[in-house]
Amino acid sequence: MNSRQENGCFYRRANPFLPAILWAIVSVLLTCPPGAYGQHHDANDEAPLVLDTMVVNAERIEDYVQSNPNQVVVLGRDEILQRNMLSVEEALGTMPGVDVKRSPGIGARISIRGSGKSTGVRVLLNGRPLNNSQYGGVDLSVIPIDMVASITVFKPPVPVWLGPGASQGAISIVTRTSTAKDKDEKKHTTRVRTSGGSYGLTETSASHRAKLDSGSLMVSASANHRDGKRTNNDRDNGNATLHYDKEIAAVHRLEFDARYSVSENGSVGPLDNPTPDARQSYDKGSIDSRISGILGDSGDYAVNLYADTIHLEDESQSGFTSTLDDEKYGLKWEYNWSDAQALWAVRANGLLEHDQLDHTLSGRHHRDSAGLGVQADRNWKTVTLTFGARGDDTSGFGFNPGFSAGLRYALARDWSLKVNAGYTVSIPSFGQLYQPSHGSIDQVRGNPDLAKEKIYSTDATLEFRPNKSHLFQVTFFRSDTHDPILYRRGSDLIFQPTNGDRSWRHGLEATWKYVLDTGLSIDANAIVQDSQVEETGNELTYTPKVRGKLTFQYTFKRPGTRLEAAIRYCGEQFSEMENRESQRLDDYITADIKTVQPFTIKQIAAEWFLNVDNLFDNGYEVHFGYPDDGIRFVSGLNLTF
């Protein structure tokens, strides 16, 4: 155990995994044979009730999509496999109103409904928050796509039962567990993928899933390398994941996950301020445990205990190396209740979290958070009303209230009107406050005087949903932010965050999905919006006026070949708050194509795939000074046995 002298006091660093280890011990004790619970079944007894759906919120989402006011988009495992999605980032990028672009450093910029914010999207994995306090975002590459059961996107305003800090939306990722639906599945399933592509891309991944008595065990590992188009833009990644789940006494479930990832990459910097010798290395370990189950006749619960540890080294072009050590652990619980007539539903949840980091340049900082939220839903035959409130206390930023409210009204058969309103607070990340190690220390500086953002959001949606194969939605949305965090770029070419007075963003989003009798599937999404920082009259950064996405899918019945094509448009946008013409990002159109050909090798199910991005080699930038690599491809083989 490490110790140090700090501010005249003796400080001892706690092991961030200790709470999760203790919870794992308790969890193992809970997996004792049924007799330990005072229950016994012999061969002639009636089999205990096995529930197809346990307590994870995202597993209730189908009902939530149909009957609740919130704007929700769901991507299930069947579609993930059908479309051969290679990563969680790619999967998110296919969903209507969601765009994902990899950042120059760790993680990716996730935009929901046209937002240009780099933070404010809350990401949950099996109910536990993943967002990093240092950056505010999430490195999605550490979540193996083979382990994902579903991805659910909540567009703002986000219901309070998902937790704090979701001003720009929320993403709930649920991993695969054993259920009664798996009874026809093979006892052991192994999936191997190997691929290669442009700019020295090589990727290999393998996963194995074993069905156990009342549970399952899954392990996954992957490694990849890519050189990139620009010098010093190479990247190496590797990760390993272990998942275990088990039913306890038929109405409870234990889940345990351990993840480790490592990466090393060059940091090129923008074209006008390059960092030819900058490098970054990063490793992260996580432990998660969750117990969930049924309470009474109409209630269920879930308790998550989790811990993360991160070590990062950032070498600048001057040769100076800074380090960041970040340790986080937390407890999250939730309870859901509904009456027998499904007229009332109540969701309650709480969160305790401690995060501490030590950075070479900015020193040692910590953040403690505690929160409690309650939401109630009332359903009538044609009307659903929902209201929720929460309060969170964060060290250094005091008490932060939040609320969400919504109305759904069934206008006619298959037509409905949905209206939502919400308020949330966004706390500055450690990187925004102090010194981020993101790509290179030569690009950004922190501002310890930042105030928290206060965001009011509303939307109204007209929806036509006759079945799963046909959907039409048109949504008006607006958000108003007090004390928005904006980035100013000085004459030294360094970005620094600062608070504005007020900003707003509003617009229209239209979504259309249709599956023809021929099997051709069409998905279209378009966003038209306007934004402004009131004191300057300038547009918000990375907030284009128009953004659109059109996707076609078709499967040939005889050979089984699956084809997919996507066309994307992004209007012009600005990268800094002054809206300088010299740093404007031009509009662009890109086209991507995918093909998958299934076949068999003896008893092994196989798929050959080819993905081509930016087919017409369009030159554009998603960040100022970082040109896209242009046309690129990846081709490979999937084997399942």
Side-chain angles (χ1 to χ4, degrees):
M1 183 175 292
N2 298 326
S3 60
R4 57 185 283 186
Q5 190 84 14
E6 184 178 297
N7 298 328
C9 299
F10 187 75
Y11 166 76
R12 183 178 294 269
R13 176 179 294 175
N15 184 344
F17 288 142
L18 182 59
I21 292 172
L22 295 176
W23 178 261
I25 293 172
V26 174
S27 300
V28 169
L29 294 176
L30 292 174
T31 63
C32 294
Y37 298 92
Q39 299 179 12
H40 176 73
H41 299 276
D42 59 33
N44 297 321
D45 286 346
E46 182 180 354
L49 175 65
V50 178
L51 299 174
D52 289 348
T53 303
M54 297 300 288
V55 198
V56 179
N57 281 328
E59 294 180 353
R60 297 166 164 262
I61 210 60
E62 191 63 36
D63 175 67
Y64 204 91
V65 170
Q66 297 291 338
S67 61
N68 279 61
N70 299 106
Q71 276 287 299
V72 183
V73 186
V74 184
L75 180 68
R77 177 156 183 81
D78 289 344
E79 187 172 357
I80 291 173
L81 292 174
Q82 174 72 15
R83 300 173 67 177
N84 190 43
M85 296 174 181
L86 304 181
S87 66
V88 174
E89 292 171 335
E90 179 188 345
L92 275 171
T94 67
M95 301 175 76
V98 183
D99 289 277
V100 181
K101 296 295 183 183
R102 174 166 288 281
S103 297
I106 297 171
R109 178 185 291 270
I110 304 173
S111 172
I112 295 180
R113 198 182 272 162
S115 171
K117 296 281 292 182
S118 58
T119 59
V121 176
R122 183 173 178 84
V123 181
L124 304 171
L125 179 66
N126 294 332
R128 81 92 126 184
L130 286 180
N131 296 72
N132 187 287
S133 296
Q134 172 67 8
Y135 315 110
V138 174
D139 185 7
L140 298 172
S141 65
V142 303
I143 306 173
I145 192 67
D146 285 347
M147 288 193 169
V148 173
S150 67
I151 302 174
T152 304
V153 172
F154 296 79
K155 299 180 181 180
V158 171
V160 296
W161 56 266
L162 288 168
S167 60
Q168 308 302 316
I171 298 168
S172 175
I173 301 171
V174 175
T175 57
R176 300 170 64 192
T177 59
S178 61
T179 69
K181 296 179 181 179
D182 296 333
K183 61 183 178 180
D184 296 327
E185 193 176 67
K186 294 192 301 182
K187 191 170 183 62
H188 295 275
T189 303
T190 301
R191 184 174 173 86
V192 177
R193 171 182 290 135
T194 181
S195 60
S198 51
Y199 303 116
L201 175 66
T202 56
E203 297 178 310
T204 301
S205 66
S207 64
H208 179 78
R209 185 167 186 260
K211 289 185 61 178
L212 308 175
D213 293 338
S214 302
S216 66
L217 176 69
M218 188 170 182
V219 293
S220 176
S222 68
N224 64 74
H225 168 83
R226 188 170 187 268
D227 294 324
K229 187 175 184 178
R230 296 177 62 191
T231 303
N232 195 40
N233 200 25
D234 59 293
R235 185 179 182 90
D236 290 283
N237 287 80
N239 66 72
T241 303
L242 168 69
H243 170 84
Y244 169 78
D245 66 87
K246 180 179 178 61
E247 285 188 358
I248 307 170
V251 293
H252 305 280
R253 180 180 297 280
L254 168 71
E255 298 172 61
F256 178 82
D257 290 90
R259 297 183 300 278
Y260 179 75
S261 62
V262 60
S263 69
E264 200 273 339
N265 62 277
S267 177
V268 295
L271 294 174
D272 65 349
N273 187 23
T275 56
D277 301 316
R279 305 289 297 179
Q280 187 180 77
S281 62
Y282 167 87
D283 62 270
K284 177 180 180 180
S286 300
I287 292 179
D288 296 87
S289 56
R290 176 182 176 92
I291 187 166
S292 57
I294 306 301
L295 285 180
D297 295 330
S298 55
D300 58 61
Y301 74 95
V303 180
N304 292 72
L305 195 62
Y306 54 90
D308 296 331
T309 181
I310 295 173
H311 177 73
L312 184 147
E313 293 186 0
D314 198 359
E315 182 178 351
S316 73
Q317 58 183 333
S318 68
F320 175 76
T321 299
S322 66
T323 61
L324 169 74
D325 292 293
D326 190 356
E327 297 175 349
K328 179 175 73 173
Y329 48 87
L331 169 71
K332 180 176 180 289
W333 64 268
E334 59 190 66
Y335 175 73
N336 305 299
W337 172 88
S338 61
D339 64 351
Q341 293 76 32
L343 299 177
W344 285 96
V346 177
R347 297 175 175 87
N349 61 84
L351 176 70
L352 294 172
E353 192 171 270
H354 174 76
D355 199 342
Q356 59 187 34
L357 65 84
D358 196 349
H359 192 277
T360 303
L361 298 179
S362 64
R364 180 176 173 79
H365 305 279
H366 78 279
R367 178 170 291 174
D368 294 305
S369 302
L372 181 66
V374 178
Q375 179 169 311
D377 303 334
R378 178 64 166 94
N379 296 302
W380 289 273
K381 187 173 182 180
T382 59
V383 176
T384 300
L385 286 174
T386 178
F387 180 82
R390 68 174 301 112
D392 296 274
D393 188 87
T394 302
S395 54
F397 291 92
F399 179 73
N400 306 297
F403 80 87
S404 63
L407 164 71
R408 176 188 178 271
Y409 178 64
L411 299 171
R413 181 178 179 181
D414 304 326
W415 287 89
S416 62
L417 175 67
K418 298 182 177 183
V419 180
N420 297 280
Y423 171 80
T424 187
V425 172
S426 181
I427 305 297
S429 67
F430 285 129
Q432 292 172 325
L433 290 169
Y434 309 112
Q435 170 64 57
S437 291
H438 184 79
S440 172
I441 61 176
D442 305 304
Q443 301 299 331
V444 184
R445 295 292 181 264
N447 180 1
D449 298 323
L450 286 177
K452 58 191 177 186
E453 296 180 314
K454 298 171 282 292
I455 303 103
Y456 298 86
S457 302
T458 57
D459 74 2
T461 300
L462 180 65
E463 178 179 283
F464 176 66
R465 187 190 293 266
N467 50 58
K468 292 184 178 181
S469 299
H470 191 189
L471 170 68
F472 173 76
Q473 293 174 332
V474 59
T475 301
F476 170 78
F477 60 89
R478 182 178 173 95
S479 65
D480 291 84
T481 304
H482 296 265
D483 300 319
I485 296 176
L486 310 169
Y487 280 85
R488 175 180 285 114
R489 200 183 197 210
S491 58
D492 58 359
L493 303 183
I494 301 296
F495 283 96
Q496 186 173 36
T498 184
N499 284 111
D501 179 49
R502 183 182 172 189
S503 66
W504 53 262
R505 183 174 68 93
H506 61 212
L508 287 172
E509 179 187 15
T511 299
W512 180 58
K513 175 181 178 180
Y514 195 74
V515 180
L516 283 71
D517 293 338
T518 60
L520 177 65
S521 174
I522 304 173
D523 289 87
N525 179 266
I527 297 168
V528 180
Q529 64 181 340
D530 195 11
S531 66
Q532 187 178 92
V533 180
E534 289 204 340
E535 60 263 42
T536 65
N538 293 333
E539 297 177 17
L540 287 169
T541 57
Y542 296 106
T543 308
K545 291 183 179 294
V546 180
R547 187 187 291 273
K549 181 165 49 180
L550 180 63
T551 304
F552 301 92
Q553 300 176 61
Y554 185 75
T555 300
F556 291 93
K557 293 183 179 180
R558 176 65 66 178
T561 306
R562 306 195 294 271
L563 300 177
E564 183 173 333
I567 302 171
R568 304 169 191 266
Y569 172 78
C570 183
E572 64 179 29
Q573 53 191 306
F574 294 95
S575 61
E576 36 69 60
M577 59 181 291
E578 290 83 6
N579 284 191
R580 298 186 183 99
E581 283 297 316
S582 60
Q583 297 192 22
R584 184 187 67 183
L585 306 180
D586 294 330
D587 63 339
Y588 61 89
I589 298 176
T590 61
D592 307 326
I593 59 171
K594 297 172 60 174
T595 182
V596 180
Q597 178 59 60
F599 60 98
T600 58
I601 304 175
K602 295 184 178 180
Q603 301 298 319
I604 299 175
E607 293 177 325
W608 169 82
F609 63 89
L610 171 67
N611 296 5
V612 182
D613 296 330
N614 199 357
L615 177 64
F616 300 110
D617 199 23
N618 193 349
Y620 68 93
E621 296 174 330
V622 293
H623 305 290
F624 177 75
Y626 293 90
D628 184 77
D629 286 346
I631 184 172
R632 52 200 180 275
F633 73 92
V634 57
S635 180
L637 193 66
N638 297 323
L639 302 175
T640 304
F641 51 92

